[in-house]
Amino acid sequence: MAKDKIKTVFFCQECGHESAKWMGQCPACKAWNSFVEETVSPTKTGKEKRTAAAGEKSRPAVLNEISMEEESRIPTDIEELDRVLGGGIVTGSLTLVGGDPGIGKSTLLLQMCQKLAQSGRHLLYISGEESLRQIKMRAQRIGQFSDTLRLYCETNLTEIEGVIESERPQVVIIDSIQTMYNESVGAAPGSVSQVRESTGVLLRLAKGLGISIFIVGHVTKEGTVAGPRVLEHMVDTVLYFEGDRHASYRILRGVKNRFGSTNEIGVFEMRQEGLAEVKNPSEYMLSGRPKGASGSVVSCSMEGTRPVLTEIQALVCHSNFGIPRRQTTGTDFNRVNLLMAVLEKRLGMQIGGCDAYVNIAGGIKIMEPAIDLGIVMAVMSSFKNRPVPDSVLAFGEVGLSGEVRAVSMAEARVNEAKKLGFSTCILPKVCLDHMPSLDGIRLIGVSSVADVSALLLSGHDSHKQPKGQ
């Protein structure tokens, strides 16, 4: 009997495109050096079996006859996680959780299992990376667990599928998808084809049996989930766990959610007993802020529906080299260079020969244009060595002509500043037209960076500009 011929193919790690030979650039997604070689041995398999709970064969439906009932959700009793998920775990959903090694993905999911088990939910935690004793050691640091949580160590997806169909848990954790392998795919675990096919099997289980499945995914050095890019398109929700593993804070960010808002964040603090929720991220981000220091300005950004106050720090000094050095942490490098060019062109500030360093304190990454005004004020404050009063907050988008443009949800930003004790808010002048009267905080509208420079030179305490002027 002739042996099956072993076939070698090349897969794109970004989009999953298959090619018979290696190529420098993927013709599908145009990514460079993304092809990896894999050995695929054909296997003779019968027809794919249908999931038991899938029911009868589906038929086309009329749009007007489709029910609009809200999806049933399972609350996790972790407010920050529920916020990112859109109110809880949707029944029959497939969620991908990515993050750097050691950031706390497994700890977060184990804490979620603890909360769900206390409410009597039937849970199954499947680990392909750790033994039962290792999971038990982490669970002892978190607290007591109910008997409704079952642990299972296995990497064979066929065995896992059988256990899920027999146990019928409400929530399943797969840690991690890179360790799972499907016997019908002749490739190594963690390869593009294995990750894609394994996720497909889990997707059918989630939809067919109505089970909520969480899969943990490793990330690459660029910070994206390892494996084919199609993996993120297959799942319902994609969560990224961000933060410096050497710091105590962690940020859970939702970048895709078919059942809720995207770009919501949840803030956690890593402690010895596990992850603790940070109910007020603004207060947490501003802790340890220097008093009366130049180059320090507080701004406000919107993360989903939540306003977050952050401190923007800038250091501008004359360069000792021919080419000035520019460095940013937590924000877009090109955006900071653009804003410095606006200051030099529109205000005549001679900062072209200066080194400039801009930092978003607290480790959070902000790309929203609303912090432009805060960056501009921080750079001007450091260059002129004039500190901005500690009670002042600024937000607004800055254009290439030096104008300060309107931003969304200005009222929510001002209310957050008032809640944390700020007495003055500098914002785009056009936003004042739709701003209701607020007691306890003074609003100063600016229309250009020249107005901001005049405020900084005159001092905010002596500048008594009423609202709308």
Side-chain angles (χ1 to χ4, degrees):
M1 190 173 178
K3 294 183 178 179
D4 293 333
K5 184 178 179 181
I6 298 177
K7 180 182 178 183
T8 301
V9 295
F10 294 86
F11 284 100
C12 174
Q13 298 182 84
E14 296 293 331
C15 65
H17 179 76
E18 182 179 345
S19 173
K21 61 179 181 179
W22 185 88
M23 290 184 288
Q25 185 183 33
C26 175
C29 65
K30 307 302 180 183
W32 287 94
N33 298 323
S34 61
F35 276 89
V36 293
E37 182 181 5
E38 291 187 7
T39 301
V40 178
S41 58
T43 56
K44 298 179 181 179
T45 58
K47 291 184 178 180
E48 187 177 313
K49 67 175 183 177
R50 292 172 54 83
T51 307
E56 299 178 356
K57 187 176 181 180
S58 60
R59 294 182 176 86
V62 180
L63 180 63
N64 294 330
E65 297 179 356
I66 299 176
S67 175
M68 281 298 293
E69 296 181 1
E70 190 175 354
E71 303 91 354
S72 58
R73 294 180 181 268
I74 304 173
T76 64
D77 292 334
I78 303 177
E79 294 182 9
E80 296 297 304
L81 179 58
D82 285 339
R83 169 191 288 270
V84 179
L85 290 174
I89 304 172
V90 177
T91 303
S93 62
L94 183 62
T95 303
L96 173 64
V97 181
D100 294 330
I103 202 70
K105 303 183 296 295
S106 301
T107 302
L108 175 64
L109 294 176
L110 200 58
Q111 286 186 224
M112 181 190 72
C113 291
Q114 181 195 29
K115 297 290 186 180
L116 293 175
Q118 290 176 354
S119 59
R121 308 283 182 182
H122 187 194
L123 311 169
L124 180 61
Y125 191 102
I126 302 173
S127 176
E129 299 180 345
E130 297 177 307
S131 64
L132 295 176
R133 291 177 58 87
Q134 290 175 310
I135 301 175
K136 175 69 173 179
M137 290 172 58
R138 188 189 306 116
Q140 286 180 336
R141 296 197 301 265
I142 296 175
Q144 295 294 326
F145 281 78
S146 172
D147 292 338
T148 57
L149 172 63
R150 303 290 182 89
L151 303 179
Y152 185 52
C153 292
E154 183 59 64
T155 57
N156 189 334
L157 204 60
T158 304
E159 300 291 335
I160 293 174
E161 186 178 2
V163 170
I164 293 177
E165 290 180 348
S166 61
E167 293 283 338
R168 293 294 178 92
Q170 293 175 281
V171 179
V172 175
I173 311 296
I174 305 292
D175 188 7
S176 65
I177 190 63
Q178 274 80 15
T179 61
M180 303 296 153
Y181 72 93
N182 193 340
E183 292 179 336
S184 62
V185 180
S191 60
V192 174
S193 54
Q194 280 285 6
V195 170
R196 182 174 54 194
E197 294 301 322
S198 299
T199 305
V201 172
L202 296 173
L203 179 62
R204 290 191 294 272
L205 285 172
K207 303 302 180 184
L209 301 176
I211 299 174
S212 302
I213 299 180
F214 286 77
I215 58 177
V216 177
H218 296 165
V219 297
T220 62
K221 60 182 180 181
E222 288 82 13
T224 59
V225 176
R229 198 67 178 181
V230 71
L231 180 63
E232 296 188 7
H233 299 288
M234 295 172 66
V235 301
D236 298 313
T237 306
V238 179
L239 307 179
Y240 276 95
F241 213 30
E242 304 172 352
D244 187 356
R245 61 180 300 182
H246 302 292
S248 60
Y249 57 84
R250 302 287 189 270
I251 296 174
L252 182 66
R253 187 183 303 274
V255 297
K256 175 188 176 181
N257 193 347
R258 289 174 178 164
F259 310 108
S261 174
T262 57
N263 290 326
E264 288 283 1
I265 67 167
V267 184
F268 298 87
E269 182 181 3
M270 179 62 78
R271 298 178 181 174
Q272 184 176 1
E273 63 275 10
L275 291 165
E277 299 179 70
V278 179
K279 300 296 181 64
N280 192 341
S282 298
E283 184 178 2
Y284 181 77
M285 296 296 176
L286 297 179
S287 59
R289 181 187 170 208
K291 302 295 183 182
S294 62
S296 174
V297 177
V298 176
S299 186
C300 182
S301 66
M302 296 298 298
E303 296 291 344
T305 58
R306 166 186 282 180
V308 177
L309 271 58
T310 54
E311 179 193 358
I312 301 176
Q313 297 177 334
L315 179 62
V316 181
C317 56
H318 290 286
S319 177
N320 294 324
F321 303 96
I323 301 177
R325 185 178 182 183
R326 306 286 170 83
Q327 183 175 334
T328 62
T329 304
T331 188
D332 187 21
F333 173 79
N334 295 323
R335 187 71 181 177
V336 172
N337 282 335
L338 183 148
L339 295 174
M340 294 183 65
V342 170
L343 292 178
E344 190 165 7
K345 176 70 175 180
R346 305 301 175 186
L347 296 182
M349 293 178 57
Q350 301 300 319
I351 56 178
C354 296
D355 295 335
Y357 307 89
V358 177
N359 174 45
I360 307 296
I364 190 172
K365 296 180 181 179
I366 301 178
M367 300 300 172
E368 190 190 14
I371 66 171
D372 288 353
L373 192 59
I375 295 175
V376 165
M377 291 186 63
V379 171
M380 293 171 57
S381 172
S382 178
F383 181 73
K384 299 178 182 296
N385 200 24
R386 294 182 66 92
V388 177
D390 299 330
S391 60
V392 173
L393 178 138
F395 63 85
E397 181 181 356
V398 177
L400 292 180
S401 299
E403 77 279 10
V404 180
R405 308 176 70 90
V407 296
S408 61
M409 305 180 71
E411 184 178 352
R413 302 173 197 258
V414 173
N415 287 330
E416 182 72 11
K418 180 182 176 182
K419 185 196 305 182
L420 290 181
F422 288 87
S423 60
T424 305
C425 182
I426 302 176
L427 69 162
K429 192 173 183 180
V430 292
C431 292
L432 289 176
D433 299 334
H434 309 285
M435 186 74 62
S437 299
L438 297 174
D439 297 330
I441 187 168
R442 183 157 58 97
L443 304 180
I444 301 178
V446 293
S447 57
S448 66
V449 292
D451 297 341
V452 180
S453 179
L455 283 173
L456 189 63
L457 292 176
S458 62
H460 300 284
D461 294 335
S462 61
H463 191 85
K464 301 297 182 181
Q465 180 177 353
K467 174 190 171 197
Q469 297 184 4

